[in-house]
């Protein structure tokens, strides 16, 4: 496929490029970047738009196999492309869970049928039960990039030690869903002023802080790469900051909702604000933004967690945890961090693309716009204002916590594996 | 005078002081009906009220039912064990079905906090929250406030102490929202494990020391201690709880001589309160039950938008 993108401002921090230029894509690869390029095939007039390395999501629930009524690899990939993503790490809490090679083989086969890059993660423990290690070496041969029992923390400290040791030998990232479930049991929102006011059972921040602290100590001992998923508290941020300062191999991600919404959002008992970890306080939001800015938190990840209306439209205590996020991630980041906080665009690209590519150890076709490499890039309109509406999602599910919000900044088109997508 | 403009009564959190006073004043007018030989007025004639109790209840349910009958409403009772909820029907569908029968008022108790708040905006019928999870129990708090008014003459500057499981108490929460708005001085007292997070930020005094809480209280409102909380490690034993937080003759010696003891019931005699105190001169527990009728009649009356004519004798 040939495509000429004319007149966009290219933001490519890895190659220190921040200028208006044309980008020519030939046979799916970046053929040339420069002024006044000419080429055969389609031409996109991208004047006023910005061209960036495509976004990479470290945390997507594609729900396949097992929960195809919520999402499939097909629909999830379309949602991701619409959101400007070119690659995502799939979470292993499927049904059956990704604890055996056959399931990973199946996901990889299905992923090949979609025009999107899926890097699967596998379970830390068999059946996600937190009792015995899964066959990580075999899963690695099948193609996983990380292990996680996401949705659950590995409560057994000895098993976690072994998991970190074993995974580090295989060069696998260990992604931790840091939540001591004994401390959070029965809760459905952050414990604090808001939970007291709303009469809802709380999830104490310490359930996350204590789990992060233990995992960091085990990472210190084992030397493994620990990645803290969806970090949400000021205290957990401080623990990661300290670990990084000490030179530990610890990385962290934060979701768009945790940097933009507080626990006061639950006022109307709307279950679209119920997720795990829960929305925290305004002070936590400030700490998370600061940490993302200074690099203590490496990147933004969506924790895209689709659920059917039937699972979501229930009483607060009974409703499923989780929100979708692929299609609104850039809009939130642009609105909150670029427009409101005036972050430089290179920093936006860093947290959405460069850092996740580095964490996964991906090649030059990701996280940058490099001549000769497969084109995985995104075209964005930073000034475009748009309302998040129920009918607009490509995802199979509609459980967004940003519904009816007006965002500024929108993905105009995505080139993934050299193919152009516009929604 | 303020008029009532709400479709629903979901909690005291969202009511203004004026609205609370309106309910309390309206209730005063209804007290006398229960003293008549014919205890019935036509105020709610032709109005259908559904009492949906998705959680076990005896006193609240019969209190509402009797209040509705004294106002001449037609009533239906649905208890969780007899409803199709047990067959897997969603709350929304159950309510939609009941609404399709053109019910005017739904009185609802549910184990999930926020259940009535989620339903009310979606249906035409008025919703009265008869207790949702650990969130609110507005009519009970209105009864407690009405009783304070009756016994103490005013609410402003009256010192009201709550003792017990504040964390899981919807009665305490509703009372706190209402009493603070009306200018009462509220203290909550219980073991630290049973005090809600950041409760001090809502204008109440917090203590774990019963002596201090009782010392200058005008009203002590006791909360039922649920025995199963011990298994969840909220306190080591009933014995230790009772030793530290029981209201008995000894502790009352340190209280004001005109203190009144309230309890929304059901009472665990010998645990949070001794029998001697339940049945003693300080106790206004049965007055609360009696006042419950007048307050619930007032709420039903205001929500169904009836005119004053309706409360005249037939």
């Amino acid at each position: 496929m040939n495509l000429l993108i004319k007149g966009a401002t290219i933001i490519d921090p890895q190659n220190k490029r921040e200028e208006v230029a044309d980008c020519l894509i030939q046979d799916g690869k970046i053929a040339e970047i420069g002024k006044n390029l000419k080429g055969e095939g389609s031409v996109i007039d991208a004047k006023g738009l910005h061209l960036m390395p495509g976004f990479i999501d470290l945390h997507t629930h594609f729900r396949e196999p097992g929960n195809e009524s919520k999402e499939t690899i097909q629909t999830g990939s379309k949602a991701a492309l619409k959101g400007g993503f070119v690659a995502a790490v799939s979470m292993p809490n499927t049904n059956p869970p990704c604890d055996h090679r056959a399931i990973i083989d199946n996901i990889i086969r299905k992923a090949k049928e979609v025009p999107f890059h899926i890097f699967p993660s596998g379970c830390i423990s068999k059946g996600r039960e937190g009792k015995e290690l899964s066959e990580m070496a075999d899963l690695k041969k099948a193609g996983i990039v990380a292990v996680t029992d996401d949705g659950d923390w590995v409560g057994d400290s000895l098993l976690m030690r072994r998991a970190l040791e074993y995974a580090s030998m295989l060069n696998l990232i260990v992604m931790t869903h840091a939540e001591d479930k004994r401390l959070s049991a029965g809760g459905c929102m952050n414990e604090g002023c808001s939970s007291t006011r709303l009469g809802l059972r709380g999830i104490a921040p310490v359930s996350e802080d204590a789990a992060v602290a233990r995992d960091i100590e085990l990472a210190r001992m084992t030397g493994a790469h620990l990645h803290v998923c969806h970090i949400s508290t000021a205290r957990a941020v401080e623990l990661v900051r300290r670990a990084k300062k000490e030179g530990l191999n610890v990385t962290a991600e934060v979701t768009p909702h945790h940097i933009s919404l507080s626990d006061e959002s639950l006022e109307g008992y709307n279950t679209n604000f119920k997720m795990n970890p829960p929305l925290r306080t305004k002070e936590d939001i400030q700490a998370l933004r600061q940490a993302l800015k200074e690099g203590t938190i490496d990147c933004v990840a969506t924790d895209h967690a689709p659920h059917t209306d039937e699972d979501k439209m229930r009483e607060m205590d009974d409703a499923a945890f989780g929100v979708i996020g692929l299609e609104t991630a850039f809009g939130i980041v642009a609105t909150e961090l670029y427009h409101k906080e005036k972050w430089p665009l290179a920093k936006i690209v860093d947290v959405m693309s460069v850092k996740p590519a580095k964490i996964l150890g991906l090649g030059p076709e990701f996280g940058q716009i490099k001549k000769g490499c497969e084109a995985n890039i995104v075209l964005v309109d930073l000034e475009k204002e748009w309302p998040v509406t129920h009918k607009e999602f490509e995802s199979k599910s509609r459980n967004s916590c940003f519904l009816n919000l007006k965002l500024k900044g929108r993905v105009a088109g995505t080139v993934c594996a050299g193919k152009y997508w516009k929604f | 005078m303020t008029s009532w403009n709400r479709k629903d009564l979901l909690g005291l959190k969202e009511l203004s002081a004026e609205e609370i006073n309106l309910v309390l004043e309206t209730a005063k007018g209804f007290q006398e009906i229960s003293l008549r030989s014919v205890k019935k007025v036509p105020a709610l004639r032709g109005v259908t009220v559904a009492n949906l109790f998705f959680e076990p209840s005896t006193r609240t349910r019969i209190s509402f039912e009797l209040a509705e009958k004294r106002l001449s409403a037609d009533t239906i009772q649905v208890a969780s064990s007899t409803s199709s909820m047990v067959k897997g029907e969603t709350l929304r569908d159950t309510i939609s079905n009941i609404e399709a029968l053109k019910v005017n008022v739904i009185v609802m108790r549910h184990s999930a906090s926020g259940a009535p708040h989620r339903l009310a905006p979606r249906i035409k019928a008025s919703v009265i929250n008869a207790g949702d999870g650990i969130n609110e129990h507005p009519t009970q708090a209105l009864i407690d406030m009405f009783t304070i008014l009756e016994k103490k003459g005013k609410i402003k500057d009256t010192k009201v102490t709550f003792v017990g499981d504040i964390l899981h108490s919807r009665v305490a929460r509703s009372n706190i929202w209402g009493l603070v708005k009306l200018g009462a001085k509220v203290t909550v007292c219980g073991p630290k494990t049973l005090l809600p997070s950041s409760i001090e930020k809502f204008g109440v005094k917090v203590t774990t020391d019963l002596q201090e809480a009782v010392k200058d209280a005008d009203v002590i409102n006791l909360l039922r201690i649920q025995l199963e909380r011990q298994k969840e490690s909220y306190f080591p034993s009933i014995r230790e709880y009772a030793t530290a937080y029981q209201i008995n003759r000894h502790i009352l010696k340190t209280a004001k001589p005109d203190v009144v003891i309230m309890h929304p019931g059901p009472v665990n005699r010998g645990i949070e309160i001794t029998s001697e105190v339940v049945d003693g001169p300080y106790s206004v527990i049965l007055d609360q039950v009696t006042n419950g009728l007048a307050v619930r009649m007032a709420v039903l009356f205001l929500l169904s938008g009836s005119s004053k004519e309706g409360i005249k004798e037939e």
Side-chain angles (χ1 to χ4, degrees):
Chain A
M1 188 206 69
N2 295 342
L3 180 69
L4 178 60
I5 301 169
K6 279 194 84 72
T9 306
I10 298 178
I11 310 288
D12 180 11
Q14 294 252 70
N15 296 300
K16 303 212 166 20
R17 191 190 294 276
E18 198 160 340
E19 59 177 354
V20 175
D22 302 342
C23 179
L24 179 66
I25 296 157
Q26 276 178 341
D27 302 322
K29 288 182 174 163
I30 310 277
E32 198 67 62
I33 302 161
K35 307 269 179 197
N36 304 314
L37 296 183
K38 292 203 167 55
E40 289 165 18
S42 342
V43 176
I44 298 170
D45 177 12
K47 209 177 284 165
L49 303 184
H50 287 74
L51 187 66
M52 302 170 168
F55 308 143
I56 297 161
D57 188 19
L58 292 183
H59 203 124
T60 306
H61 294 273
F62 284 96
R63 301 291 189 218
E64 195 175 345
N67 278 305
E68 291 83 354
S69 58
K70 299 178 187 228
E71 197 79 282
T72 62
I73 285 172
Q74 186 83 35
T75 58
S77 295
K78 273 183 100 172
L81 288 167
K82 188 176 177 186
F85 289 91
V86 293
V89 174
S90 64
M91 285 294 117
N93 58 339
T94 48
N95 186 18
C98 302
D99 61 352
H100 276 90
R101 179 159 189 169
I103 298 151
I104 297 295
D105 285 342
N106 181 51
I107 288 174
I108 286 182
R109 186 174 53 75
K110 291 223 164 135
K112 277 188 186 139
E113 293 166 8
V114 295
F116 184 68
H117 303 94
I118 293 177
F119 301 111
S121 64
C123 298
I124 291 175
S125 68
K126 290 193 185 97
R128 305 179 55 253
E129 285 178 350
K131 289 178 185 155
E132 294 172 37
L133 292 183
S134 64
E135 294 177 346
M136 289 183 199
D138 208 24
L139 292 171
K140 163 101 180 181
K141 275 184 214 148
I144 63 163
V145 295
V147 286
T148 177
D149 272 359
D150 186 58
D152 286 300
W153 188 51
V154 179
D156 178 340
S157 301
L158 179 65
L159 186 76
M160 188 60 170
R161 173 194 165 169
R162 304 276 194 248
L164 286 160
E165 284 171 334
Y166 204 82
S168 67
M169 165 183 88
L170 299 168
N171 252 330
L172 285 169
I173 307 163
V174 179
M175 302 174 82
T176 181
H177 169 115
E179 178 195 5
D180 185 328
K181 296 244 168 170
R182 281 290 289 150
L183 283 170
S184 62
C188 63
M189 71 173 292
N190 183 48
E191 180 178 317
C193 253
S194 289
S195 66
T196 293
R197 199 178 135 71
L198 293 171
L200 289 167
R201 283 165 216 267
I203 297 173
V206 73
S207 61
E208 177 171 332
D209 309 340
V212 168
R214 184 208 69 177
D215 287 342
I216 285 175
E217 288 314 308
L218 288 173
R220 179 199 309 280
M221 177 203 174
T222 57
H225 178 176
L226 177 75
H227 178 77
V228 182
C229 293
H230 41 58
I231 194 166
S232 74
T233 69
R235 183 68 202 144
V237 160
E238 189 48 42
L239 292 164
V240 170
R241 183 177 286 130
R242 215 172 57 192
K244 284 195 162 181
K245 213 175 261 172
E246 292 177 41
L248 303 188
N249 195 1
V250 173
T251 53
E253 66 185 35
V254 66
T255 71
H257 45 274
H258 286 114
I259 55 167
S260 57
L261 299 173
S262 79
D263 54 1
E264 290 169 27
S265 306
L266 281 99
E267 194 69 31
Y269 298 94
N270 181 343
T271 54
N272 277 337
F273 295 103
K274 181 182 178 184
M275 66 284 277
N276 190 14
L279 296 175
R280 306 284 188 188
T281 65
K282 287 183 170 142
E283 290 72 40
D284 292 304
I285 293 177
Q286 282 318 309
L288 293 169
R289 286 183 179 199
Q290 174 57 33
L292 186 62
K293 195 173 183 184
E294 76 195 18
T296 295
I297 298 174
D298 298 83
C299 62
V300 170
T302 65
D303 195 5
H304 179 81
H307 286 295
T308 57
D309 266 8
E310 290 73 30
D311 287 338
K312 214 55 190 169
M313 293 301 116
R314 308 175 66 169
E315 302 331 302
M316 194 55 90
D317 285 337
D318 307 326
F321 284 101
V323 289
I324 55 171
L326 287 167
E327 292 164 77
T328 47
F330 178 72
I332 292 295
V333 167
T335 306
E336 295 296 325
L337 303 180
Y338 173 71
H339 288 295
K340 287 192 192 155
E341 303 255 351
K342 311 286 177 210
W343 284 21
L345 287 171
K347 183 67 197 170
I348 304 282
V349 172
D350 186 59
V351 299
M352 294 294 286
S353 178
V354 177
K355 282 285 174 54
K358 280 191 177 161
I359 287 172
L360 293 174
L362 301 178
E365 66 274 28
F366 292 101
Q368 54 181 310
I369 307 175
K370 196 167 181 166
K371 196 175 155 178
C373 291
E374 183 185 281
N376 292 304
I377 55 183
V378 59
L379 207 47
V380 302
D381 182 346
L382 285 163
E383 301 307 316
K384 173 88 179 172
E385 294 192 52
W386 58 291
V388 181
T389 59
H390 198 268
K391 57 173 191 267
E392 231 195 314
F393 289 102
E394 289 296 327
S395 167
K396 236 182 190 181
S397 295
R398 296 290 178 274
N399 53 312
S400 168
C401 54
F402 301 117
L403 279 170
N404 305 322
L405 226 65
K406 206 166 178 188
L407 304 182
K408 191 172 181 186
R410 190 184 169 119
V411 172
T414 308
V415 180
C416 184
K419 215 170 153 213
Y420 182 64
W421 294 88
K422 188 173 166 55
F423 291 88
Chain B
M1 198 166 115
T2 338
S3 64
W4 187 265
N5 295 315
R6 291 176 186 270
K7 176 173 88 73
D8 313 295
L9 176 65
L10 302 176
L12 296 196
K13 192 164 35 199
E14 53 267 22
L15 293 197
S16 66
E18 290 74 29
E19 286 171 307
I20 295 171
N21 281 325
L22 176 62
V23 178
L24 299 177
E25 279 160 34
T26 309
K28 225 181 217 167
F30 280 102
Q31 243 181 334
E32 162 270 333
I33 291 170
S34 296
L35 304 172
R36 294 178 190 172
S37 55
V38 177
K39 299 178 177 54
K40 203 168 178 113
V41 292
L44 263 63
R45 185 182 279 165
V47 173
T48 311
V49 184
N51 298 302
L52 309 185
F53 282 76
F54 299 112
E55 201 186 58
S57 162
T58 308
R59 37 190 75 218
T60 304
R61 191 169 50 77
I62 60 174
S63 175
F64 263 111
E65 196 180 339
L66 202 52
E68 291 150 12
K69 290 195 163 140
R70 290 195 173 163
L71 292 171
S72 306
D74 298 312
T75 68
I76 48 173
Q77 318 293 330
V78 182
S80 58
S81 52
T82 58
S83 82
S84 36
M85 295 282 285
V86 287
K87 297 174 197 158
E89 190 177 49
T90 66
L91 178 58
R92 178 88 195 271
D93 286 336
T94 305
I95 304 272
S96 300
N97 275 283
I98 285 164
E99 217 199 4
L101 298 169
K102 306 298 170 206
V103 163
N104 306 94
V105 181
I106 290 172
V107 176
M108 181 172 137
R109 166 166 294 188
H110 199 281
S111 60
S113 302
H117 304 71
R118 287 172 47 75
L119 272 171
R122 294 180 168 88
I123 60 175
K124 278 208 205 88
S126 287
V127 176
I128 299 175
N129 181 6
D132 65 317
I134 58 170
N135 183 33
E136 286 226 41
H137 191 354
T139 56
Q140 182 62 49
L142 288 164
I143 291 161
D144 295 351
M145 293 164 82
F146 186 84
T147 308
I148 293 172
L149 212 50
E150 188 183 62
K151 304 295 170 194
K152 296 287 168 191
K154 63 180 175 105
I155 288 176
K156 193 171 171 11
D157 295 326
T158 301
K159 294 195 173 99
V160 186
T161 287
F162 291 85
V163 181
D165 181 358
I166 315 290
L167 179 62
H168 299 99
S169 175
R170 53 192 172 210
V171 174
R173 270 193 180 70
S174 282
N175 260 295
I176 289 168
W177 309 141
L179 286 168
V180 169
K181 272 178 204 159
L182 264 54
K185 301 232 179 322
V186 180
T187 298
V188 296
C189 174
K192 206 171 173 185
T193 45
L194 291 172
L195 295 172
S197 163
S198 310
I199 188 70
E200 71 285 352
K201 293 193 179 134
F202 296 97
V204 304
K205 213 177 111 189
V206 184
T207 177
T208 56
D209 178 3
L210 186 63
Q211 287 243 305
E212 194 192 319
V214 161
K215 198 170 56 191
D216 45 41
D218 299 307
V219 177
I220 300 170
N221 200 334
L222 289 171
L223 304 168
R224 177 184 164 78
I225 195 81
Q226 293 195 326
L227 306 181
E228 58 267 34
R229 301 285 175 224
Q230 185 209 328
K231 291 202 182 70
E232 301 164 54
S233 297
Y234 284 104
F235 50 85
S237 66
I238 292 289
R239 176 177 168 272
E240 182 153 306
Y241 179 84
T243 308
Y245 295 104
Q246 185 183 71
I247 296 291
N248 51 36
R249 181 156 40 106
H250 301 293
I251 190 85
L252 285 180
K253 276 182 196 151
T254 64
K256 283 189 176 176
D258 62 344
V259 69
V260 301
I261 309 289
M262 300 183 19
H263 195 307
V267 172
N268 289 313
R269 284 174 184 255
I271 299 175
E272 68 261 9
I273 185 169
T274 56
S275 282
E276 191 182 10
V277 177
V278 175
D279 306 324
Y282 302 113
S283 166
V284 297
I285 296 172
L286 292 176
D287 299 275
Q288 287 174 274
V289 178
T290 306
N291 289 339
L293 279 175
V295 170
R296 292 191 168 113
M297 284 163 89
V299 168
L300 287 158
F301 175 81
L302 288 170
L303 284 190
S304 51
S306 300
S307 73
K308 279 267 192 286
E309 291 302 303
I311 60 169
K312 286 195 181 138
E313 244 171 296
E314 276 188 280

